[in-house]
Amino acid sequence: MKITLCDDSLTDLCEIENLLLKYKTFYPDRHFELEKFSDPSCLYRRISEGNLADIYILDMLMPKRTGIDLGNQIRRFGPEKVIIYITSSDDYALDAYGVHAIRYLLKPLDESSLFEALDYGLSYMRPREEPVYMVKTKEGLVQTPCTKIEYIENTGRRLEVHLTDGEIIKSLCIRKSFDEEIREIAERRNFQQIHKSFLVNLDYVKQLTAGSATLCSGRQLPVSKARAAAAKREYLLFISEKHSAQGGKNGLF
């Protein structure tokens, strides 16, 4: 497990680090690697490159990049990551809730408050039930595991959820836009909207070109010109995080 600490005050950075080391002595079975940043812009770049920690302890008010900037970027690349804010002012508490921070602690930092936040953060990280995507069909509400979804297509104001085993789950006529219907699942790191009518699971993309995505099943999906650049960028980040260590070969633009 990795804990990343970011505070532009070197004094505060050192004090929080000492508290974390003290926490580690109290709980020797809770192993973690500590990473420190005094420059939020540097941490922002690390997050953008897909180098993520498990728990982030962030100062709220920092130059160039605020704690909220960092939190939003963490949520983009790691929606399940734990964020704890530490600040000298309580004026930004609502902003912290906006990025789903688990705690908002005031300086000077109280040892017991930080330890409680860490305890909660660790419990939050425990394995949870596999996420599912809810589809309203004529037979009723169907819960589909996200890991089994190959892609979702919007066709004739209906959703077609294509599964890896070849099954297709067809929804009732949707009242919202396709973007709204897929918003929650699209926030997951392995899903990418490549066309106004297609959301694909990057785990099953074999090759991505400027105009199409070839899936492991052999299916080909269109990539719109408007989304091509973003699709390329997200796919490159995804395979660098998930597949490079496996030595996999992926086709790119």
Side-chain angles (χ1 to χ4, degrees):
M1 182 180 66
K2 179 187 289 186
I3 297 178
T4 292
L5 171 60
C6 186
D7 197 313
D8 63 308
S9 167
L10 294 180
T11 299
D12 291 343
L13 193 69
C14 184
E15 290 179 356
I16 299 169
E17 178 186 12
N18 288 334
L19 287 176
L20 290 172
L21 295 176
K22 188 174 182 180
Y23 179 85
K24 197 171 186 178
T25 61
F26 286 169
Y27 304 99
D29 59 319
R30 300 178 186 180
H31 304 288
F32 61 83
E33 173 189 347
L34 180 60
E35 186 178 42
K36 300 176 294 179
F37 291 86
S38 59
D39 182 354
S41 295
C42 182
L43 176 56
Y44 189 91
R45 289 193 297 271
R46 288 289 300 276
I47 297 167
S48 302
E49 293 166 356
N51 295 317
L52 299 175
D54 300 291
I55 297 177
Y56 288 88
I57 302 176
L58 308 174
D59 185 24
M60 180 66 77
L61 301 175
M62 294 181 287
K64 297 181 181 179
R65 294 289 185 181
T66 67
I68 295 300
D69 292 333
L70 293 173
N72 286 329
Q73 194 71 343
I74 291 166
R75 285 290 164 258
R76 181 185 176 197
F77 289 93
E80 78 286 357
K81 304 303 182 181
V82 172
I83 299 174
I84 300 170
Y85 280 120
I86 299 174
T87 182
S88 55
S89 171
D90 60 2
D91 293 340
Y92 301 91
L94 290 178
D95 294 323
Y97 287 117
V99 294
H100 307 291
I102 65 164
R103 291 292 185 272
Y104 186 90
L105 307 178
L106 291 176
K107 297 178 181 180
L109 194 58
D110 178 70
E111 176 185 299
S112 61
S113 297
L114 178 61
F115 287 7
E116 185 277 333
L118 290 170
D119 287 341
Y120 182 79
L122 290 169
S123 67
Y124 181 87
M125 289 172 54
R126 289 172 185 165
R128 287 164 280 176
E129 293 183 2
E130 182 179 2
V132 297
Y133 181 61
M134 309 293 286
V135 186
K136 293 180 181 179
T137 71
K138 63 180 180 180
E139 288 81 20
L141 200 60
V142 177
Q143 298 185 42
T144 306
C146 292
T147 55
K148 294 184 179 180
I149 296 175
E150 186 177 41
Y151 68 95
I152 301 175
E153 179 181 1
N154 179 25
T155 173
R157 299 291 298 171
R158 297 178 188 275
L159 300 181
E160 289 192 356
V161 183
H162 293 252
L163 306 186
T164 55
D165 61 3
E167 181 184 358
I168 301 175
I169 300 174
K170 298 182 179 182
S171 78
L172 297 173
C173 186
I174 59 176
R175 297 181 179 180
K176 301 178 182 178
S177 68
F178 181 59
D179 288 2
E180 290 176 301
E181 289 287 344
I182 64 169
R183 179 170 296 159
E184 185 174 348
I185 188 172
E187 291 177 352
R188 301 193 65 80
R189 187 68 187 91
N190 56 322
F191 281 89
Q192 175 71 21
Q193 189 173 359
I194 57 174
H195 185 279
K196 67 178 182 179
S197 300
F198 288 91
L199 177 78
V200 68
N201 188 337
L202 296 178
D203 279 319
Y204 303 113
V205 173
K206 183 178 181 181
Q207 184 179 46
L208 186 68
T209 69
S212 67
T214 302
L215 309 187
C216 296
S217 62
R219 295 185 179 90
Q220 284 196 324
L221 306 181
V223 177
S224 66
K225 290 183 179 179
R227 298 178 184 272
K232 174 184 177 181
R233 181 176 62 253
E234 295 302 322
Y235 185 54
L236 284 170
L237 285 171
F238 180 79
I239 61 174
S240 68
E241 294 168 20
K242 303 294 183 180
H243 302 309
S244 293
Q246 301 174 7
K249 295 183 179 180
N250 301 80
L252 302 174
F253 289 80

